Amino acid sequence: MLTREEVIKIANLARIQLSQEEVEKFQKQLSTILDYVEELKKVDTANVPEVFEVTGLQNIQRDDKVETADNHQEIFKNAPEMKDGYYKVKAIL
Amino acid sequence: MDFAYLSLTELREKLDKKEISSVELTKYFLGRIKKSDLNAFITVSEEEAVQQAKAADDFIASPGENPFLCGIPYAAKDMFLTKGIPTTAASEILDNYIPPYDATVIGKLKDQKSVLLGKLNQDQFAHGSSGETSAYGPTKNPWDKTRLTGGSSSGSGASVSAGLSPFALGTDTGGSIRNPAAHCGVTGYKPTYGRVSRYGVIAMASSLDSIGFLSLSVEDAAHITEIIAGQDPKDSTTGQVEVPAYAKNFKNNLNGVKIGIPKEYFIEGMEEGVKAKVLEAVKELEKLGAQTVEVSLPTTRYAQMVYAIICPSEISSNLARYDGIRYGHTVHGTAKDLMEVYTRSRAEGFGDEAKRRIMTGTYVLSAGYYDAYYKKAQKVRSLIIKEFAEVFKKVDVLVAPATPSVATKLGSAADNPLHGYIADQLNIPASLAGLCAISIPCGFARPSDGDAPSLDGLPVGLQIIGPQFGEQKIFNVGYAYQQATDWHKKHPLV
């Protein structure tokens, strides 16, 4: 079972604020998931390579061609606050 | 006149012969959507649809051939970015998001002058196999409104099944097209990984996400695939493999076709009715000329656990982009610092299933746990891929149940953190290996959890799995089966 502290640490790494009740709920639920995958340990994977993709493709590139994008305004419309064409964020210091 | 459940070829003929206009057809389906109480749609883009239909009618009126889907309406899961039309991923964090561009597949359908009716309900961010994790409530199964459609492409399943759209785009990461297709009694196609561009489709688990659709038949599926498949410079995982004219290569028999029946897919605890219908379908395939042989894929059982590690890992990375700064739900106005913008925007914007998956992924990728979970899972994934490769040396396709049960009751997924992984255990292995697969209706079976409105029960899905880029093989088997049977022509009373 994950500890409360572990759940709080994970939530912090994932940048998700949790209430006290949520910490308890996810403590149980995340532990259920981790218990469930425990069975994988039974599989013998000695000398088995890891796989990260299934296509076998390598170094796929496209032409480095300049294209005009004129949809800045539509993109920026989705932002909560802009100033002089920049996203405005809270001070980080 | 009734236009629901007509094949795409029939709709094409009616439009070409001017027996009906695209505007009439579009209004007909918009009318059906309005009358429907299945909660299949999140957004109905009525105005845009009628405009697109008018443009299609103008094109049809002008001289020359019409593209195959010109003037034919469709709907898209709310994972597909649609320029100017809200795209929510059925989440609160994107409930006010207006995409500035179209997904490649949406663009290809626009080029055809196909008509987008609206955006379909789904599990939130496609996390789940029930439709229940949607911030907009679950979609109801047209065969029994007290039951789930399956998911995550829940609205897509309901829409095609209830005749609200002739076809519907969906996404399949670990079964999200095949599962609702099976539960709603329609055809669902999960392409080979890289067969169809992912560009502009909201990312879930990037090494698994496959872009497909649900349709009324394999014949329709072949036609749509010919249009949406192919290499895309904007998605470097799309292969350079040519797109064949699938529908032209169909035959009515399966002479010379070798079909493997993987014994591990008939799991303990699966509904007897489902098993019986799938075995009946196997007999039918034999009658059509196919040779069937039992095969073994011993690592199948572990696929769901591999998925329960890899999928959340990739989700935790992909969903890091929702930061409350550039788009989506935000507490920017009230937060005291940047950290709070992140943590509270995400806390308010994500549902429980998204939070669980993000945190599971964050944990298994974190220092000290990576080898035990993620690396182990990717090794077992290697074994699964190798087993499929071996078996496809002996057989052309595999045939198995699409799901272990028929549709279950609303609320049955609820707060169960393992629901999606278990419900999709027969779909996940093909996803991990990047294979193509379809689910097609193969009869009805009575549910094990209560009654159904019809004594026959609820739809059962037959899954046909093929090797990478083996679309022609799975379509051929599905097509021949649908020529000999009429399960795909049964529709719910709505």
Side-chain angles (χ1 to χ4, degrees), chain B residues 96-107:
Chain B
N96 60 1
Y97 179 63
I98 314 278
Y101 67 100
D102 281 323
T104 293
V105 169
I106 298 285

Side-chain angles (χ1 to χ4, degrees), chain A residues 9-23:
Chain A
K9 188 184 161 199
I10 298 164
N12 189 38
L13 285 171
R15 302 286 188 263
I16 297 171
Q17 191 183 77
L18 296 184
S19 67
Q20 290 298 327
E21 298 80 53
E22 280 181 312
V23 171

Side-chain angles (χ1 to χ4, degrees), chain A residues 43-55:
Chain A
V43 186
D44 181 5
T45 51
N47 305 316
V48 177
E50 302 131 78
V51 62
F52 295 100
E53 57 92 35
V54 295
T55 65

Side-chain angles (χ1 to χ4, degrees), chain A residues 12-49:
Chain A
N12 189 38
L13 285 171
R15 302 286 188 263
I16 297 171
Q17 191 183 77
L18 296 184
S19 67
Q20 290 298 327
E21 298 80 53
E22 280 181 312
V23 171
E24 269 162 45
K25 180 170 76 183
F26 289 124
Q27 191 186 352
K28 286 194 200 105
Q29 293 184 339
L30 297 180
S31 300
T32 303
I33 295 166
L34 294 173
D35 288 346
Y36 165 70
V37 301
E38 199 61 16
E39 212 186 317
L40 270 187
K41 291 195 177 140
K42 286 192 204 157
V43 186
D44 181 5
T45 51
N47 305 316
V48 177

Side-chain angles (χ1 to χ4, degrees), chain B residues 175-191:
Chain B
S176 284
I177 286 171
R178 289 163 283 167
N179 177 300
H183 289 330
C184 295
V186 297
T187 299
Y189 162 55
K190 174 249 183 272

